[in-house]
């Protein structure tokens, strides 16, 4: 059934609270991306999240809380090193996977005995959590497989007519999803790189990260969501790394250009002039990873709006925030990576 999706301002937050109390979903801003929230303690409400997103039922959700104290009754224990991370990074873009209690409905965790929890660092998200009084299960508010939404208009483009409301808090800050850290194993294991970097975590506690253990194609990925294709625009995406990227991109773009098909390239602002015949999607000033993260999903969506047939993306270094950026780009490229 087609709904009229309401576009609410932060002043209308009371209406969002009402909708959530009635067991329905609302999209809301966080400091990472927009989330599609529902009462985490109401299995029927949570079911609507999966339905609206077209999300596979075996991909568990992150539960958002107003503060760290609220988490206590939903997890069996918080290891001391996890407590250290909560104190340092919450509220913020760090999700911790912990052993769950029976309070957490199975649908939220896709039947796993662990639960992913975080406290978001966004005034509208925190106010919504305080006013409803219950935690919100919330994945990114996009149709499954699409780039995550960093603006209310992205949510409406994907979920307009499918959800009752989006609460508009403007553009999100980080622009990338939270870091997901499994705290049920020793050492802790990074399941998804995000806004809190591996280097920042390792400054405080030992953390293991195996990029090749991405989960894609493996039988039992530790983070079920990682086995699905993600962040994909309609255009075919190629990730091109190395010093010869510009030459390679020009060569590969030729046949498309000759057929008159739209060819885009995502590159740092300063390098735009290397591609006079292609449509440039500017990543921001060279080396500004925060700006790139902030713009990334918007740029991927622009590729569709511009009707591009193919999009070449120049790879970036994988230090700090670059690790999360390259993780998302590899998924957008569906593993079509060319090293020069
Ligand atoms: P999203 O909310 O769409 O950004 O995705 C949440 C991510 O967290 C997905 O990759 C999930 O697979 C992962 N996740 C959520 N809960 C768990 C859990 N209990 N154990 C491992 N990974 C989880
Ligand atoms: Mg998502």
């Amino acid at each position: 059934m087609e709904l009229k999706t309401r576009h609410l301002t932060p002043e209308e937050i009371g209406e969002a609270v009402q909708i959530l109390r009635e067991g329905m979903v609302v999209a809301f801003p966080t400091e990472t991306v927009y989330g599609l929230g529902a009462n985490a303690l109401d299995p029927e409400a949570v079911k609507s999240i999966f339905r609206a997103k077209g999300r596979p039922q075996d991909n568990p959700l992150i539960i958002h809380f107003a503060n760290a104290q609220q988490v206590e009754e939903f997890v069996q224990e918080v290891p001391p090193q996890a407590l250290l991370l909560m104190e340092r990074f919450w509220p913020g873009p760090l999700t911790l996977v912990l052993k769950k209690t029976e309070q957490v409905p199975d649908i939220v965790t896709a039947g796993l005995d662990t639960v992913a929890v975080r406290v978001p660092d966004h005034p509208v998200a925190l106010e919504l959590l305080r006013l409803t009084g219950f935690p919100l299960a919330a994945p990114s508010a996009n149709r499954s497989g699409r780039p995550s939404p960093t603006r209310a208009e992205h949510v409406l483009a994907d979920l307009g007519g499918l959800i009752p409301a989006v609460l508009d808090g403007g553009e999100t800050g980080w622009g990338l999803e939270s870091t997901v850290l499994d705290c049920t194993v020793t050492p802790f294991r990074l399941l998804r790189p995000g806004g809190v970097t591996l280097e920042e975590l390792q400054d405080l506690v030992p953390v293991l990260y195996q990029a090749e253990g991405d989960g894609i194609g493996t039988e039992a990925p530790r983070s079920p969501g990682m086995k699905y294709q993600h962040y994909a625009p309609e255009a075919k995406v190629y990730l091109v790394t190395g010093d010869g990227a510009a030459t390679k991109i020009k060569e590969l773009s030729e046949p498309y250009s000759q057929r008159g098909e739209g060819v885009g390239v995502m590159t740092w602002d300063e390098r735009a002039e290397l591609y006079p015949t292609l449509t440039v999607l500017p990543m921001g000033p060279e080396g500004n990873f925060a700006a790139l993260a902030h713009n990334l999903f918007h740029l991927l969506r622009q590729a569709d709006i511009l009707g591009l047939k193919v999009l070449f993306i120049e790879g970036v270094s994988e230090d700090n925030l670059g690790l999360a950026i390259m993780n998302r780009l590899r998924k957008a490229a569906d593993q079509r990576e060319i090293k020069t």
Side-chain angles (χ1 to χ4, degrees):
M1 191 187 67
E2 181 89 357
L3 290 167
K4 168 122 182 57
T5 301
R6 298 196 55 199
H7 191 157
L8 303 172
T9 65
E11 290 69 42
E12 296 171 307
I13 195 166
E15 311 206 19
V17 172
Q18 194 53 39
I19 296 168
L20 289 166
R21 287 204 177 123
E22 285 166 15
M24 292 183 284
V25 299
V26 171
F28 65 98
T30 78
E31 84 283 29
T32 59
V33 301
Y34 274 77
L36 184 62
N39 181 354
L41 309 179
D42 175 349
E44 283 306 314
V46 173
K47 214 176 268 177
S48 320
I49 295 178
F50 286 93
R51 209 178 301 126
K53 277 186 62 98
R55 183 174 174 109
Q57 291 259 1
D58 64 351
N59 191 359
L61 307 179
I62 295 170
I63 306 189
H64 295 69
F65 295 85
N67 55 57
Q69 291 70 41
Q70 266 199 357
V71 175
E72 270 169 33
E73 62 181 295
F74 301 99
V75 301
Q76 291 191 11
E77 55 159 359
V78 179
Q81 291 185 335
L83 194 60
L84 205 66
L85 296 175
M86 284 178 179
E87 282 166 359
R88 170 70 181 78
F89 295 109
W90 280 6
L94 177 64
T95 295
L96 302 178
V97 172
L98 298 164
K99 289 265 178 213
K100 81 176 191 83
T101 60
E102 282 181 2
Q103 308 269 73
V104 182
D106 282 338
I107 182 164
V108 173
T109 63
L112 297 175
D113 60 0
T114 55
V115 63
V117 295
R118 87 175 187 103
V119 176
D121 187 15
H122 192 288
V124 176
L126 288 172
E127 182 69 359
L128 192 62
L129 286 160
R130 275 193 289 265
L131 290 172
T132 54
F134 45 72
L136 293 172
S140 48
N142 50 286
R143 283 287 291 176
S144 229
R146 298 264 303 144
S148 297
T150 56
R151 305 177 180 194
E153 75 205 47
H154 299 161
V155 176
L156 289 167
D158 275 18
L159 300 177
L162 296 173
I163 60 172
V166 54
L167 189 52
D168 191 343
E171 287 183 36
T172 58
W174 285 93
L176 289 181
E177 304 83 349
S178 61
T179 303
V180 180
L181 188 69
D182 184 353
C183 302
T184 67
V185 288
T186 314
F188 292 171
R189 197 167 146 190
L190 185 68
L191 300 179
R192 176 176 73 183
V196 172
T197 67
L198 180 59
E199 290 87 343
E200 285 177 300
L201 294 172
Q202 286 174 332
D203 273 348
L204 284 182
V205 305
V207 174
L208 194 71
Y209 179 54
Q210 287 170 302
E212 63 279 17
D214 225 6
I216 293 164
T218 60
E219 260 176 43
R222 296 199 69 99
S223 192
M226 300 198 309
K227 74 180 178 216
Y228 294 108
Q229 220 223 305
H230 263 101
Y231 318 118
E234 303 289 329
K236 192 166 185 177
V237 177
Y238 288 92
L239 179 60
V240 189
T241 58
D243 293 341
T247 311
K248 191 76 192 168
I249 289 171
K250 274 180 251 176
E251 175 193 319
L252 291 173
S253 64
E254 265 313 300
Y256 292 94
S257 298
Q258 273 170 11
R259 288 196 296 269
E261 292 169 340
V263 184
V265 58
M266 206 188 278
T267 184
W268 298 113
D269 295 359
E270 291 84 347
R271 292 174 58 83
E273 61 190 24
L274 295 175
Y275 303 101
T277 60
L278 306 185
T279 302
V280 172
L281 296 175
M283 301 199 301
E286 186 153 8
N288 187 336
F289 284 70
L292 172 55
H294 180 85
N295 291 329
L296 188 65
F297 291 134
H298 182 65
L299 293 175
L300 290 175
R301 284 174 178 267
Q302 280 303 107
D304 286 345
I305 290 169
L306 294 167
L308 299 180
K309 186 80 178 180
V310 60
L311 173 64
F312 296 99
I313 305 180
E314 286 189 351
V316 299
S317 116
E318 294 189 62
D319 295 336
N320 302 302
L321 211 45
L323 187 68
I325 291 171
M326 284 295 279
N327 168 274
R328 307 308 190 270
L329 292 180
R330 288 204 170 97
K331 289 184 184 183
D334 197 13
Q335 309 301 310
R336 277 182 298 267
E337 182 171 347
I338 299 166
K339 298 189 172 107
T340 65

